[in-house]
Amino acid sequence: MSAATPRQWHERAMAAERGGDAAGAAALIGQALAVFPGDADLLNSAGNLAMRRGRPQDAAPYFAAALQARPGALDFALNLAIALTGAGRGEEAVKVLAPFQATGARAPRYCSARAAAERAAGNPGGAARWYDACLALDPLHLRALHGRARTALERGEPGALARVDAALAANPGEADLWLARAQALDVAGDTAAARDIALQLVEQAPQWLEGLRFLAQLRHAAGERDWASHYGEAARRVPSDPAIPVDHVATLAGLDLAAEAAEVAAEAKARFPGAPQFALLEAVNGGAAGDDDRAERIFAGLSLEGADRWLQEARHRLRRHEVGQALALLDLVLDERPWDIGGWALRGIAWRLAGDARAEWLHGQGGLVALLPLADAQSVLAPAIARLHELHDASPMPLGQSLRGGTQTRGILFDRMEPEFAALHRAIRETLELYRAQLPPADAAHPLLRHRDAPWRLHGSWSVRLLGGGDHHTAHIHPQGIVSSACYLVLPEGRADGDGALEVGRPAPDLRLDLGPVEVIEPREGHLALFPSTLYHGTTPFGSGTRMTVAFDVVTGVGPSR
C-alpha cells in the first residue's frame, strides 16, 4: 500500500467511510499523510472527514496546513473559515477570508461563509451585509436566507418576521427557523401564536434544548406554577438522552429552585448510573437548598475529579465554614484553570473569612471599584431611555439570570440597529477607558490587573428595568468577563439611601455566610459603576418607582465590541 498515490489513499478512505467505518477512514488518511505529509489534497480530505464527523476543532489544523501548502486556494480558505466558525473562532475565520475578498465577493459560498464568520465574531452589521451579498448572487441560498433572518432578529430589524417567513418558504423543515418565527412573534406581542409553535417544536423534537428553553420562558412569563414540567415529559419520551435532565436542572436552579433541581438530578442519577455529573448536580443543588448533610454524603463518595467538582465542593466547604478545606480545593481549581473567575471569586471570599491580607490585594485596592460620570450623558441618555422603555414593554423576566422580578431586554443590546444605542455604546466605551486609566498598576498575578494594558472590548450587553416592591438582582458573578458593570439610566424619585443600592462583594445567598459587601455603591443617574468580575454583586430592593440600567461585561482581545 506504500506505493499507492495520494489519490488512491483518498479513494480507499472514502470507501471505508461510505461503508460506515469513519474511524477506519480517518486511520487511512492518517497513514496517507505519514507517507505524503505535505499533500494539500490529502490534508483537505482529512479536514473534510473531521467536519463530517462533527469535529470542526479537529478539522481546522488540517485545512490550515492545506492552505499553507497551496496558499492561493480559495476552497481551502473557505473550508478553514467554516471549520473555525464552527469551533467558535469567528474572528480568526474573518482574518482567513479577508485576503480573498476581491475574488470571493463574486461567489455565493464565500459570501455565506464570510457572513457566518462575521456573525460569530460579534459583527452583526457585517454579517447582514455579506448575507445580502450572497442573496444578491443566489436569492434562494438556504444558509444565507437562514442566517439573514437570524441576524435581522438579533439586530431588532423591523422586517425580521418577514425575513424569517422568506427563509421558511424556502426551507420549511428547518426547526431553528420555526423557533425564530416564534421568537419574532413573541417580540411582536403575539404570545399565543409563539406558544403554539413552541408546543409543536417540543412535541416533534422533545430532545431539542432550544425549544424546551423557549417554551419554559413563555410558560414562566405567563405565570404558570409548574412552568418547567415539559422537561419531565421530554425526558420520559427520550429516556436515553442525559442532556434533557442536565438542562432541566440548570433551568430550575437558575430561579433558585434548588430543591426541585436536586430531585431532578437524583432521578437522573438513578437512570444514568455511569454519569457522575448527576451526583455532582444533586450535591450542588442539595447544598444550595440547605441540605448540607446530603451534599456531604455525595461528595464523600463522588468519583468525579477535576476543576468543576473542586469548585462546587469549595462552595460546600464554605457553607460549612471549613475555610481551610475550601482554600485547598480552590488551589486545585486554579492550578488547572489559573484565571477561572468563579474560582477567584470564591478565593476572595475565603481569604476574607480567614483574615488573609491577600483579600485586600484582590479586591480592596483603590480604583478597582468605581462610580464614574458617563461621558456625554446629557445627550445620549434621554434618547436611549425612550427606546429602552419600548423594548422593556415587550420583554420578559429572563430564566437563568440574576433578575428576581422586572424585565431584561432580549439578545445583545449593542448588536441592535437603533442609533440611540450606538451613541450610548460609544459613551460607555469612552468612560471605560477613564476607569482603566485610574486602575492600580499592571500586576501579572492579579486576575484583572494582568489585563490592565491589554486591548479591552465589550462582551454581551443588556438592559434591566426593575419596579419597586421587591424587584432586585440576587448576588451573582459574570464568569465570562474581567470587568462587570451597571450604567444607571433611571432611578426612583425620592429614593432613600440604601434602596436599590449595588452591593459589591456580598456572597451569594446560597453560601449562607455572614459576610457583608466589600463596598456599597449608591446609584446615580448618568453614572457607570465598574468593578472586577471576581466580585459577587447584587442589589437591594426598593420601595416604589422604576430603576433602569444597562450592563455589560469586559473581555480582553481585539475584535468587535458587543
Side-chain angles (χ1 to χ4, degrees), residues 34-114:
V35 180
F36 302 100
D39 187 273
D41 292 316
L42 280 175
L43 289 163
N44 189 59
S45 294
N48 283 326
L49 181 59
M51 289 293 286
R52 289 194 291 273
R53 298 177 76 188
R55 299 176 179 175
Q57 69 279 4
D58 295 336
Y62 288 118
F63 290 136
L67 184 60
Q68 186 176 17
R70 196 176 296 163
L74 176 58
D75 283 347
F76 293 171
L78 288 169
N79 288 345
L80 174 57
I82 291 167
L84 290 169
T85 300
R89 297 157 62 186
E91 291 174 21
E92 295 176 58
V94 171
K95 290 178 182 177
V96 167
L97 291 174
F100 296 86
Q101 179 170 323
T103 55
R106 299 190 294 271
R109 185 170 181 244
Y110 176 91
C111 296
S112 176
R114 179 69 179 269

Side-chain angles (χ1 to χ4, degrees), residues 370 372 374 408-409 411-415 421 424-433 435 456-464 473 476-489 527-533 537 549-555 561-562:
L372 301 174
L374 180 69
Q408 180 171 310
T409 53
I412 298 173
L413 183 66
F414 293 144
D415 277 359
F421 300 144
L424 178 60
H425 187 189
R426 287 191 296 272
I428 283 174
R429 286 193 56 79
E430 183 177 336
T431 311
L432 184 60
E433 288 306 311
Y435 169 75
W456 286 6
R457 60 190 175 91
L458 272 57
H459 175 76
S461 48
W462 60 95
S463 174
V464 167
H473 288 275
H476 63 290
I477 56 170
H478 300 171
Q480 302 303 316
I482 59 169
V483 176
S484 295
S485 66
C487 182
Y488 297 103
L489 278 64
H527 283 65
L528 176 60
L530 295 160
F531 47 91
S533 294
H537 55 284
T549 57
V550 164
F552 54 88
D553 292 315
V554 176
V555 297
S561 191
R562 305 179 72 182

Side-chain angles (χ1 to χ4, degrees), residues 24-390:
L28 284 167
I29 289 289
Q31 294 174 48
L33 285 170
V35 180
F36 302 100
D39 187 273
D41 292 316
L42 280 175
L43 289 163
N44 189 59
S45 294
N48 283 326
L49 181 59
M51 289 293 286
R52 289 194 291 273
R53 298 177 76 188
R55 299 176 179 175
Q57 69 279 4
D58 295 336
Y62 288 118
F63 290 136
L67 184 60
Q68 186 176 17
R70 196 176 296 163
L74 176 58
D75 283 347
F76 293 171
L78 288 169
N79 288 345
L80 174 57
I82 291 167
L84 290 169
T85 300
R89 297 157 62 186
E91 291 174 21
E92 295 176 58
V94 171
K95 290 178 182 177
V96 167
L97 291 174
F100 296 86
Q101 179 170 323
T103 55
R106 299 190 294 271
R109 185 170 181 244
Y110 176 91
C111 296
S112 176
R114 179 69 179 269
E118 296 280 2
R119 183 177 175 218
N123 183 11
R129 289 192 298 274
W130 282 105
Y131 279 131
D132 287 340
C134 181
L135 292 169
L137 296 167
D138 180 1
L140 295 180
H141 194 286
L142 296 185
R143 289 185 183 274
L145 284 167
H146 188 160
R148 188 63 181 90
R150 269 289 172 199
T151 303
L153 190 57
E154 292 160 3
R155 299 174 78 206
E157 295 181 25
L161 181 57
R163 287 193 178 275
V164 172
D165 285 342
L168 274 170
N171 191 12
E174 174 54 58
D176 182 67
L177 286 171
W178 283 106
L179 177 62
R181 189 170 206 279
Q183 292 167 333
L185 289 167
D186 186 36
V187 170
D190 193 348
T191 55
R195 181 167 178 146
D196 284 345
I197 294 173
L199 287 168
Q200 292 178 54
L201 289 171
V202 168
E203 173 66 26
Q204 294 172 19
Q207 75 284 2
W208 191 35
L209 301 183
E210 290 296 329
L212 293 170
R213 292 168 191 159
F214 183 62
L215 182 57
Q217 177 71 71
L218 292 175
R219 295 184 66 192
H220 183 271
E224 294 185 31
R225 187 182 64 83
D226 198 7
W227 50 270
S229 61
H230 56 281
Y231 274 98
E233 176 60 26
R236 285 188 288 274
R237 292 181 58 196
V238 193
S240 61
D241 189 349
I244 296 172
V246 167
D247 210 64
H248 192 183
V249 169
T251 299
L252 292 169
L255 284 181
D256 301 329
L257 299 173
E260 293 88 335
E263 293 310 309
V264 172
E267 189 275 335
K269 181 178 70 174
R271 287 195 294 115
F272 299 98
Q277 64 179 321
F278 289 113
L280 177 60
L281 288 172
E282 183 186 358
V284 168
N285 288 284
D291 194 343
D292 290 343
D293 291 341
R294 179 184 189 179
E296 179 70 16
R297 288 192 301 272
I298 295 171
F299 279 121
L302 189 60
S303 61
L304 189 67
E305 295 292 339
D308 290 337
R309 178 252 169 90
W310 300 325
L311 184 68
Q312 295 301 335
E313 187 171 351
R315 295 183 74 88
H316 171 66
R317 297 298 160 202
L318 287 173
R319 289 189 192 106
R320 293 167 62 95
H321 300 275
E322 297 167 353
V323 178
Q325 292 183 51
L327 283 168
L329 287 162
L330 292 169
D331 286 345
L332 293 175
V333 172
L334 294 169
D335 283 344
E336 183 174 310
R337 300 194 305 230
W339 304 112
D340 184 278
I341 295 297
W344 278 100
L346 291 182
R347 179 181 266 182
I349 290 169
W351 279 346
R352 289 177 66 196
L353 291 170
D356 193 310
R358 288 174 293 183
E360 185 71 12
W361 164 82
L362 181 61
H363 289 142
Q365 298 184 63
L368 290 176
V369 179
L371 182 68
L372 301 174
L374 180 69
D376 300 322
Q378 289 187 334
S379 62
V380 304
L381 280 192
I385 288 168
R387 283 287 188 183
L388 285 170
H389 276 305
E390 294 175 6

